[in-house]
Amino acid sequence: MTKKKFGDKIYDYSEPEEEIIVALDFFKKNGVDKVLDLGCGTGRHIQFLRNQGFDVYGVDINKEIVKTSQKKFGLDKILVGDMRQLHFSDKIFDAVIANQVIYHGTKLDMIKAISEIYRVLCKGGLFFITLQPRENQEWRMGKKLEDWTYIALAGPDKGDMHHFVDEV
């Protein structure tokens, strides 16, 4: 299944998200070459960015999804990994994208992940991130783990952890 409904929005997981298409122009204008797709999933953004000439690497925590992506895009650039502890050298990427991924954890998990992203970004590197706002998310808030961190008890993301933010 490549489509999933969250609230009022339907996501097509076979196509790049609009935000990534917008980021593409920004990356080109700023001389980005090497990109890390954090939480790459099935590789839709890897494919899109590679088709645009970028050198793209991917990391995802889900071993089965990584196997699928490795077969699709090559074994050496798609890795199983944890966003809180990336297995890359310091300052290796011109840009990191964390689209619909970094908020899947506690506040401390997010802080650790952002620290790792900062470590692997080159000086002046670009970081593209999507977050979950606190407003209008009641339908996703289930079991409370800590302030603004919940496990969804129903809906399309049942069982998923989310940390909601009100400012960046």
Side-chain angles (χ1 to χ4, degrees):
M1 177 164 93
T2 61
K3 293 185 180 181
K4 204 172 192 183
K5 184 175 181 181
F6 289 91
D8 294 331
K9 188 171 182 182
I10 296 174
Y11 289 89
D12 182 349
Y13 288 99
S14 66
E15 297 293 327
E17 288 198 41
E18 291 175 32
E19 295 89 350
I20 300 300
I21 295 168
V22 170
L24 169 70
D25 290 334
F26 194 69
F27 289 173
K28 286 181 176 181
K29 289 177 185 172
N30 286 279
V32 168
D33 177 46
K34 194 181 232 181
V35 179
L36 173 61
D37 183 358
L38 189 59
C40 65
T42 59
R44 65 186 167 139
H45 297 130
I46 291 173
Q47 180 176 355
F48 173 73
L49 292 170
R50 281 188 178 173
N51 288 344
Q52 301 296 319
F54 294 95
D55 183 16
V56 188
Y57 290 71
V59 171
D60 201 286
I61 201 162
N62 185 314
K63 292 177 186 176
E64 292 306 311
I65 287 178
V66 168
K67 282 182 187 177
T68 300
S69 296
Q70 286 174 333
K71 288 177 187 172
K72 211 172 178 181
F73 303 110
L75 295 173
D76 59 331
K77 294 189 178 186
I78 315 286
L79 307 170
V80 174
D82 188 322
M83 64 185 171
R84 297 166 298 179
Q85 188 175 5
L86 297 171
H87 295 287
F88 293 103
S89 301
D90 294 355
K91 304 194 183 321
I92 191 170
F93 295 103
D94 301 313
V96 175
I97 59 174
N99 188 64
Q100 309 296 341
V101 66
I102 204 164
Y103 54 80
H104 288 290
T106 64
K107 182 177 181 179
L108 182 58
D109 290 334
M110 287 177 61
I111 290 168
K112 287 179 180 178
I114 291 168
S115 177
E116 276 294 277
I117 291 163
Y118 180 77
R119 181 185 65 77
V120 300
L121 271 175
C122 295
K123 185 176 180 179
L126 303 174
F127 177 32
F128 176 85
I129 183 173
T130 55
L131 300 169
Q132 289 295 306
R134 291 180 181 172
E135 60 191 38
N136 302 318
Q137 295 290 339
E138 293 77 18
W139 65 276
R140 292 179 117 170
M141 294 179 183
K143 180 181 176 186
K144 184 176 181 177
L145 299 179
E146 64 181 24
D147 285 344
W148 297 107
T149 303
Y150 298 85
I151 294 180
L153 299 178
D157 53 357
K158 181 179 178 180
D160 289 350
M161 184 186 317
H162 298 93
H163 182 77
F164 301 94
V165 298
D166 63 352
E167 60 184 42
V168 180

